[in-house]
Structures are given as structure tokens and as C-alpha cells.
């Protein structure tokens, strides 16, 4: 992922401290507080990474079998493949069948770019219908959906966003990622859009990227968190950032958080399994849970070999 990338020298100047919880988030979690156990899901964005051959995939694994291997290591995936194409149910069913070996596995498909970036949420009922017809084939393997708006999708399009979100089916959870700076810089706009999400029971994506700290907004319209963490090739700050996130997730759990989806990204994706493993290890220990950890072929091999 290139979003929010900074130079090595700029990285040392970034304040990675997570913002405090807003009153909005505190109220959301307080209203949802119950005794149910927090659901924790950790994964990556893609399964087709050749850099993972010999790391978590057997060295001679064919591309067609990458998903078969991925589901052995993770319990979910932020499915970016559906951003580039609207897949028919037949294709989706084949992916689902590969994931059946892991009873807890979930796909979190991204809305197609033809909806979000090309038509910009306007006049796209036909594509949206095709998108839903496809992803419904995931059946019990379907997790929440993820609508990413482009960097140039501004609050001037709020009405179009509202109309589109109101038109979506209510029985499948949706999270929205806002990227344009004005969604966060303008207090009135910020309040308006997060109030809308709360009213519609739609979640907000929190993207933790080095160069865009405004997108680490920490606003939870629902008692569910969807975190896209963008690391910097296992830089020391990556681990400190994860530690702070673990502390916040534990706090949110005590306040009423019901689920967290934590997706690992790196500017160099070869290192995503290592940091994802660190996330799971820390969450398992802090929350006394047992989320699946990736298994490395050679744990003694150096991370940068």
C-alpha cells in the first residue's frame, strides 16, 4: 500500500500516538456494553504474494494454490481482489470452497472501484446488484464489506454518499473508509458524516498510515472496529504502534467493543506475516484468547533473508 507513505527521514518525525477517544466513541461503546466476548479477527489484504513462498507458503506452491495456503495461517482477509473486478458467484464459490478447511475464516470484500471510484456512488445500482450477487456466494464465509472512497472524494459529495449508503441492504455489515482531508479537518463535516454512519449502523474504517495521521480518526459509529494498519517494513516504530493499538483494543473491549477486524499492510508486503503474527501474539496474551497465528516454515531464518 502506498497511501500515507513517508521517507525514512520523515518517518522519524511522525507522532504515532493514537488520539484519545472522542465523546462520540465513548457513547457508542457505552450503549453497546454487554457481557459477550470480543470477537477478534486479524489478516492481510491479499493472498497472492510470491514473497511469502518459503516463508509461510511452501517454496513450490503454485499461484492457483496460494489461497489454500493462506487460510492455514489467517482467519480473515481484506479482499482487495473484488475492488478490481465484479466476480460472478461461480468464482466466489471456488474461493469459499478453498476456505472451508478453516471453519472460522471470513472474506471481507472491498466494493468494486467501478462503484466507488469510477461512478463515484452515482447511477451504479446495476453494478452494486452484481457485486452483491457475487459476494453472497461466500455464504457463511462472508464477513463485513468495505467501501473505500477515493482521496479526491470530498464532502461536496455528501448527499450522494448518503443516498448510496441508505440504499444498501441492511443485513450485511458495511464499513466506510474516508480519505479526503476535509472529512476530518472540518468539525461540522466530520460530525455530519459520522452521525450518518451511526444512524445507518455502518462502521468506519480507521487507517493507521504514517503520512496521514488525520485518518486515524478513532471515531466508532458502531461497536465494531475495522483497522487498516500500514507498517514500514518492520521498523521499530511498527511494534510500538501495534503495542499501543493492543492497549486501545483492550480498553475498547472493556467499554463495550463487540468486534475488531485488524488488517495488516506494509509498503513492502513481504513483511506483513511477521507483523500480523506480532499483532495476534499480543492480542492473544492481552485478551486471553486464541486467535490463529501464521506458521513460518523456518522460524530461525532472519526476517530480512
Amino acid at each position: 500500500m502506498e497511501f500515507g507513505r513517508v521517507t525514512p527521514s520523515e518517518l522519524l518525525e511522525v507522532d504515532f500516538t493514537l488520539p484519545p477517544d472522542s465523546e462520540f466513541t465513548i457513547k457508542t461503546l457505552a450503549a453497546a456494553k454487554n457481557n459477550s466476548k470480543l470477537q477478534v479477527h486479524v489478516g492481510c489484504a491479499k493472498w497472492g504474494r510470491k514473497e511469502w513462498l518459503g516463508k509461510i507458503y511452501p517454496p513450490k506452491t503454485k499461484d492457483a494454490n496460494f489461497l489454500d495456503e493462506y487460510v492455514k495461517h489467517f482467519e480473515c482477509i481484506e479482499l482487495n481482489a473484488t475492488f478490481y473486478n465484479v466476480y460472478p458467484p461461480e468464482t466466489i464459490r471456488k474461493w469459499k470452497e478453498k476456505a472451508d478447511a478453516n471453519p472460522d475464516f471470513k472474506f471481507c470484500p472491498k466494493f468494486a472501484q467501478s462503484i466507488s471510484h469510477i461512478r463515484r456512488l452515482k447511477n451504479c445500482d446495476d453494478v452494486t446488484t452484481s457485486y452483491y450477487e457475487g459476494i453472497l456466494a461466500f455464504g457463511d464465509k462472508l464477513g463485513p464489506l468495505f467501501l473505500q472512497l477515493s482521496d479526491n472524494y470530498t464532502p461536496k459529495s455528501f448527499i450522494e454518499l448518503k443516498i448510496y449508503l441508505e440504499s444498501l441492504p441492511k443485513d450485511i455489515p458495511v464499513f466506510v473508509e474516508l480519505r479526503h482531508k476535509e472529512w476530518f479537518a472540518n468539525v461540522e463535516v466530520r460530525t455530519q458524516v459520522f452521525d450518518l454512519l451511526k444512524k445507518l449502523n455502518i462502521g468506519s474504517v480507521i487507517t493507521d498510515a504514517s503520512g496521514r495521521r488525520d485518518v486515524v480518526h478513532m471515531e466508532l459509529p458502531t461497536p465494531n472496529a475495522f483497522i487498516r494498519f500500514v507498517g514500514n517494513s518492520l521498523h521499530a516504530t511498527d511494534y510500538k504502534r501495534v503495542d499501543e493499538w493492543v492497549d486501545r483494543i483492550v480498553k475498547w473491549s472493556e467499554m463495550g467493543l463487540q468486534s475488531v477486524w485488524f488488517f495488516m499492510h506494509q509498503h513492502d508486503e513481504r513483511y506483513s506475516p511477521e507483523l500480523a503474527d506480532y499483532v495476534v501474539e499480543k492480542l492473544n496474551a492481552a485478551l486471553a484468547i486464541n486467535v490463529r497465528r501464521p506458521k513460518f516454515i523456518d522460524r530461525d531464518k532472519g526476517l530480512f533473508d
Side-chain angles (χ1 to χ4, degrees), residues 163-213:
I163 292 171
Y164 184 75
L165 294 180
E166 288 175 340
S167 74
L168 296 178
K170 303 298 188 289
D171 56 339
I172 303 175
V174 173
F175 288 83
V176 174
E177 181 184 20
L178 303 165
R179 286 189 163 191
H180 192 275
K181 293 182 178 182
E182 194 62 23
W183 291 109
F184 312 104
N186 185 309
V187 176
E188 183 178 349
V189 166
R190 181 182 179 119
T191 299
Q192 183 182 43
V193 73
F194 285 113
D195 281 350
L196 171 67
L197 296 180
K198 187 168 188 173
K199 177 183 176 182
L200 298 177
N201 196 33
I202 289 176
S204 60
V205 175
I206 299 173
T207 302
D208 188 338
S210 304
R212 282 295 306 278
R213 304 312 295 163

Coordinates of all heavy atoms in Angstrom, one line a residue, residues 163-213:
I163 N -27.3 9.0 0.0 CA -28.2 8.3 -0.8 C -27.8 6.9 -1.0 O -28.5 5.9 -0.9 CB -28.5 9.0 -2.1 CG1 -29.2 10.3 -1.8 CG2 -29.3 8.2 -3.1 CD1 -29.3 11.2 -3.1
Y164 N -26.5 6.7 -1.4 CA -26.0 5.4 -1.7 C -26.0 4.5 -0.5 O -26.5 3.3 -0.5 CB -24.6 5.5 -2.2 CG -24.0 4.1 -2.7 CD1 -24.5 3.5 -3.9 CD2 -23.1 3.4 -1.9 CE1 -24.1 2.3 -4.2 CE2 -22.7 2.2 -2.3 CZ -23.2 1.6 -3.4 OH -22.7 0.3 -3.8
L165 N -25.5 5.0 0.7 CA -25.5 4.2 1.9 C -26.9 3.8 2.3 O -27.1 2.7 2.8 CB -24.7 4.9 3.0 CG -23.2 5.1 2.8 CD1 -22.6 5.9 4.0 CD2 -22.5 3.8 2.5
E166 N -27.8 4.7 2.2 CA -29.2 4.4 2.6 C -29.8 3.3 1.7 O -30.7 2.6 2.1 CB -30.1 5.6 2.5 CG -29.8 6.6 3.6 CD -30.5 7.9 3.4 OE1 -31.0 8.2 2.3 OE2 -30.7 8.7 4.4
S167 N -29.3 3.1 0.5 CA -29.8 2.1 -0.5 C -29.3 0.7 -0.2 O -29.8 -0.2 -0.8 CB -29.5 2.6 -1.9 OG -28.1 2.3 -2.2
L168 N -28.2 0.6 0.6 CA -27.6 -0.7 0.7 C -28.4 -1.7 1.6 O -29.1 -1.2 2.5 CB -26.2 -0.6 1.3 CG -25.2 0.2 0.5 CD1 -23.9 0.3 1.3 CD2 -24.9 -0.5 -0.8
P169 N -28.3 -3.0 1.3 CA -29.0 -3.9 2.2 C -28.6 -3.8 3.6 O -27.4 -3.5 3.9 CB -28.6 -5.3 1.6 CG -28.2 -5.0 0.2 CD -27.6 -3.6 0.2
K170 N -29.5 -4.0 4.6 CA -29.1 -3.8 6.0 C -28.6 -5.0 6.7 O -28.2 -5.0 7.9 CB -30.4 -3.3 6.7 CG -31.0 -2.0 6.1 CD -30.0 -0.8 6.2 CE -30.7 0.5 5.8 NZ -30.9 0.6 4.3
D171 N -28.7 -6.2 6.0 CA -28.4 -7.4 6.7 C -26.9 -7.8 6.6 O -26.5 -8.9 7.2 CB -29.2 -8.6 6.2 CG -29.1 -8.8 4.7 OD1 -28.7 -7.8 4.0 OD2 -29.5 -9.9 4.2
I172 N -26.1 -7.1 5.9 CA -24.6 -7.4 5.8 C -23.9 -6.2 6.3 O -24.0 -5.1 5.8 CB -24.2 -7.7 4.4 CG1 -25.0 -8.9 3.8 CG2 -22.7 -8.0 4.3 CD1 -24.8 -9.2 2.4
P173 N -23.0 -6.3 7.3 CA -22.3 -5.1 7.9 C -21.4 -4.5 6.8 O -20.8 -5.2 6.0 CB -21.4 -5.8 9.0 CG -22.1 -7.0 9.3 CD -22.7 -7.5 8.1
V174 N -21.3 -3.2 6.8 CA -20.5 -2.4 5.9 C -19.7 -1.4 6.7 O -20.1 -0.8 7.7 CB -21.4 -1.6 4.9 CG1 -20.5 -0.7 4.1 CG2 -22.2 -2.6 4.0
F175 N -18.4 -1.2 6.3 CA -17.5 -0.2 6.9 C -17.1 0.7 5.7 O -16.9 0.3 4.6 CB -16.3 -0.8 7.5 CG -16.5 -1.6 8.8 CD1 -17.0 -2.9 8.8 CD2 -16.3 -1.0 10.0 CE1 -17.2 -3.6 9.9 CE2 -16.5 -1.6 11.2 CZ -16.9 -3.0 11.2
V176 N -17.0 2.0 6.0 CA -16.6 3.0 5.0 C -15.3 3.6 5.4 O -15.0 4.0 6.6 CB -17.7 4.1 5.0 CG1 -17.2 5.2 4.0 CG2 -19.0 3.5 4.5
E177 N -14.4 3.8 4.4 CA -13.1 4.4 4.6 C -13.2 5.8 3.9 O -13.3 5.9 2.7 CB -11.9 3.6 4.0 CG -10.6 4.3 4.3 CD -9.4 3.6 3.7 OE1 -9.6 2.8 2.7 OE2 -8.3 3.9 4.1
L178 N -13.0 6.9 4.7 CA -12.9 8.2 4.1 C -11.4 8.6 4.0 O -10.7 8.3 5.0 CB -13.7 9.2 5.1 CG -15.1 8.9 5.3 CD1 -15.6 9.7 6.5 CD2 -16.0 9.2 4.1
R179 N -11.1 9.3 3.0 CA -9.7 9.7 2.8 C -9.4 11.2 2.6 O -8.3 11.6 3.0 CB -9.1 8.9 1.6 CG -8.8 7.4 1.9 CD -8.1 6.7 0.9 NE -7.5 5.4 1.3 CZ -6.6 4.7 0.6 NH1 -6.2 5.2 -0.6 NH2 -6.1 3.6 1.1
H180 N -10.3 11.9 2.0 CA -10.0 13.3 1.7 C -9.9 14.0 3.1 O -10.7 13.8 4.0 CB -11.1 13.9 0.9 CG -10.8 15.2 0.4 ND1 -11.0 16.4 1.1 CD2 -10.3 15.6 -0.8 CE1 -10.6 17.4 0.4 NE2 -10.1 17.0 -0.8
K181 N -9.0 14.9 3.2 CA -8.7 15.6 4.4 C -9.8 16.4 5.0 O -9.9 16.5 6.2 CB -7.4 16.5 4.3 CG -6.1 15.7 4.0 CD -4.9 16.6 3.9 CE -3.7 15.8 3.7 NZ -2.4 16.6 3.6
E182 N -10.7 16.9 4.1 CA -11.7 17.8 4.6 C -12.8 17.0 5.4 O -13.5 17.6 6.2 CB -12.4 18.5 3.4 CG -13.3 19.7 3.8 CD -12.5 20.8 4.4 OE1 -11.3 20.9 4.3 OE2 -13.2 21.6 5.1
W183 N -12.9 15.7 5.3 CA -13.8 14.9 6.1 C -13.4 15.0 7.6 O -14.3 14.9 8.5 CB -13.8 13.5 5.7 CG -14.4 13.2 4.3 CD1 -13.8 12.8 3.2 CD2 -15.8 13.2 4.0 NE1 -14.7 12.6 2.2 CE2 -15.9 12.8 2.6 CE3 -17.0 13.5 4.7 CZ2 -17.1 12.8 2.0 CZ3 -18.2 13.5 4.0 CH2 -18.3 13.1 2.7
F184 N -12.1 15.3 7.8 CA -11.7 15.3 9.2 C -11.3 16.7 9.7 O -11.4 17.0 10.9 CB -10.4 14.4 9.3 CG -10.6 13.1 8.7 CD1 -10.1 12.8 7.4 CD2 -11.4 12.1 9.3 CE1 -10.2 11.5 6.8 CE2 -11.6 10.9 8.7 CZ -11.0 10.6 7.5
A185 N -10.9 17.6 8.8 CA -10.5 18.9 9.2 C -11.6 19.8 9.6 O -11.5 20.7 10.5 CB -9.7 19.6 8.1
N186 N -12.8 19.6 9.0 CA -13.9 20.5 9.2 C -14.8 19.8 10.3 O -15.4 18.7 10.0 CB -14.7 20.7 7.9 CG -15.9 21.6 8.1 OD1 -16.7 21.5 8.9 ND2 -15.9 22.6 7.2
V187 N -14.9 20.4 11.4 CA -15.7 19.8 12.5 C -17.1 19.5 12.2 O -17.7 18.4 12.5 CB -15.6 20.7 13.8 CG1 -16.4 20.1 14.9 CG2 -14.1 20.8 14.3
E188 N -17.8 20.4 11.5 CA -19.2 20.3 11.1 C -19.3 19.1 10.2 O -20.2 18.3 10.3 CB -19.7 21.5 10.5 CG -21.2 21.5 10.1 CD -21.7 22.8 9.5 OE1 -21.0 23.8 9.6 OE2 -22.8 22.8 9.0
V189 N -18.4 19.0 9.2 CA -18.5 17.9 8.2 C -18.2 16.6 8.9 O -18.9 15.6 8.7 CB -17.5 18.2 7.1 CG1 -17.3 16.9 6.3 CG2 -17.9 19.3 6.2
R190 N -17.2 16.6 9.8 CA -16.8 15.4 10.5 C -18.0 14.8 11.3 O -18.4 13.7 11.3 CB -15.7 15.7 11.4 CG -15.1 14.5 12.2 CD -14.0 14.9 13.1 NE -13.5 13.9 13.9 CZ -12.2 13.4 13.9 NH1 -11.3 14.0 13.0 NH2 -11.8 12.5 14.7
T191 N -18.7 15.7 12.0 CA -19.8 15.4 12.8 C -21.0 14.8 12.0 O -21.6 13.8 12.3 CB -20.3 16.6 13.7 OG1 -19.3 17.0 14.5 CG2 -21.5 16.2 14.5
Q192 N -21.2 15.5 10.9 CA -22.3 15.1 10.0 C -22.1 13.7 9.4 O -23.0 12.9 9.4 CB -22.4 16.2 8.8 CG -23.6 15.9 7.9 CD -23.6 16.9 6.7 OE1 -22.5 17.2 6.2 NE2 -24.8 17.4 6.4
V193 N -20.9 13.4 9.0 CA -20.7 12.1 8.3 C -20.7 11.0 9.3 O -21.3 9.9 9.0 CB -19.4 12.1 7.4 CG1 -18.2 12.1 8.3 CG2 -19.4 11.0 6.5
F194 N -20.1 11.2 10.5 CA -20.1 10.1 11.4 C -21.5 9.9 12.1 O -21.8 8.8 12.4 CB -19.0 10.3 12.5 CG -17.6 10.0 12.0 CD1 -16.7 11.0 11.8 CD2 -17.3 8.7 11.6 CE1 -15.4 10.8 11.3 CE2 -16.0 8.5 11.0 CZ -15.1 9.5 10.9
D195 N -22.2 11.0 12.2 CA -23.6 10.8 12.7 C -24.4 10.0 11.7 O -25.3 9.2 12.0 CB -24.3 12.2 12.9 CG -23.9 12.9 14.2 OD1 -23.2 12.2 15.0 OD2 -24.1 14.1 14.4
L196 N -24.2 10.3 10.4 CA -24.9 9.5 9.3 C -24.6 8.0 9.5 O -25.5 7.2 9.4 CB -24.5 10.0 8.0 CG -25.0 9.2 6.8 CD1 -26.5 9.2 6.7 CD2 -24.3 9.6 5.5
L197 N -23.3 7.7 9.6 CA -22.9 6.3 9.7 C -23.5 5.6 10.9 O -24.0 4.5 10.9 CB -21.4 6.2 9.8 CG -20.6 6.7 8.6 CD1 -19.1 6.5 8.8 CD2 -21.0 5.9 7.3
K198 N -23.6 6.4 12.0 CA -24.2 5.8 13.2 C -25.7 5.5 13.0 O -26.2 4.5 13.4 CB -24.0 6.8 14.4 CG -24.4 6.2 15.7 CD -23.9 7.0 16.9 CE -24.2 6.3 18.2 NZ -23.6 7.1 19.4
K199 N -26.3 6.5 12.4 CA -27.8 6.4 12.1 C -28.1 5.1 11.3 O -29.1 4.4 11.5 CB -28.3 7.6 11.4 CG -29.8 7.5 11.1 CD -30.2 8.8 10.3 CE -31.6 8.7 9.8 NZ -32.0 9.9 9.1
L200 N -27.2 4.9 10.3 CA -27.4 3.7 9.4 C -26.7 2.4 9.9 O -26.8 1.4 9.2 CB -26.8 4.1 8.0 CG -27.4 5.3 7.3 CD1 -26.7 5.6 6.0 CD2 -28.9 5.0 7.1
N201 N -26.1 2.5 11.1 CA -25.4 1.3 11.7 C -24.3 0.8 10.7 O -24.2 -0.4 10.5 CB -26.4 0.2 11.9 CG -25.9 -0.9 12.9 OD1 -25.1 -0.6 13.8 ND2 -26.2 -2.1 12.7
I202 N -23.6 1.8 10.2 CA -22.5 1.5 9.3 C -21.2 1.9 10.0 O -21.1 2.9 10.6 CB -22.6 2.2 8.0 CG1 -23.8 1.6 7.1 CG2 -21.3 2.2 7.2 CD1 -24.1 2.4 5.8
G203 N -20.2 1.0 9.9 CA -18.9 1.2 10.6 C -18.0 2.2 9.9 O -18.2 2.4 8.7
S204 N -17.0 2.6 10.6 CA -16.0 3.5 9.9 C -14.6 2.8 10.0 O -14.2 2.2 11.0 CB -15.9 4.8 10.6 OG -15.5 4.7 12.0
V205 N -13.9 2.8 8.9 CA -12.6 2.3 8.8 C -11.6 3.3 9.4 O -11.6 4.5 9.1 CB -12.2 2.0 7.3 CG1 -10.7 1.5 7.2 CG2 -13.1 0.9 6.7
I206 N -10.7 2.8 10.2 CA -9.6 3.6 10.7 C -8.3 3.1 10.0 O -7.9 2.0 10.2 CB -9.4 3.5 12.3 CG1 -10.7 3.9 12.9 CG2 -8.2 4.2 12.8 CD1 -10.7 3.7 14.4
T207 N -7.7 4.0 9.3 CA -6.5 3.6 8.6 C -5.3 4.3 9.2 O -5.2 5.5 9.3 CB -6.5 4.1 7.1 OG1 -7.7 3.5 6.5 CG2 -5.3 3.7 6.3
D208 N -4.4 3.5 9.8 CA -3.2 4.0 10.5 C -2.0 4.0 9.6 O -1.3 3.0 9.4 CB -2.9 3.1 11.7 CG -1.9 3.7 12.6 OD1 -1.1 4.5 12.1 OD2 -1.8 3.3 13.8
A209 N -1.8 5.1 8.9 CA -0.7 5.3 7.9 C 0.2 6.4 8.4 O -0.3 7.4 8.9 CB -1.3 5.6 6.5
S210 N 1.5 6.3 8.2 CA 2.5 7.2 8.7 C 2.2 8.6 8.3 O 2.3 9.6 9.1 CB 3.9 6.8 8.3 OG 4.1 5.5 8.7
G211 N 1.9 8.9 7.0 CA 1.8 10.2 6.5 C 0.5 10.8 6.5 O 0.3 12.0 6.0
R212 N -0.5 10.1 7.1 CA -1.9 10.7 7.1 C -2.5 10.4 8.5 O -3.4 9.6 8.7 CB -2.8 10.1 6.0 CG -2.5 10.6 4.6 CD -2.9 12.1 4.5 NE -4.3 12.3 4.9 CZ -5.4 12.1 4.1 NH1 -5.2 11.7 2.9 NH2 -6.6 12.4 4.6
R213 N -2.0 11.1 9.5 CA -2.5 10.9 10.8 C -3.9 11.4 11.1 O -4.6 10.9 12.0 CB -1.5 11.6 11.8 CG -0.1 11.2 11.7 CD 0.2 9.7 11.6 NE -0.2 9.0 12.9 CZ -0.4 7.7 13.0 NH1 -0.3 7.0 11.9 NH2 -0.8 7.2 14.1

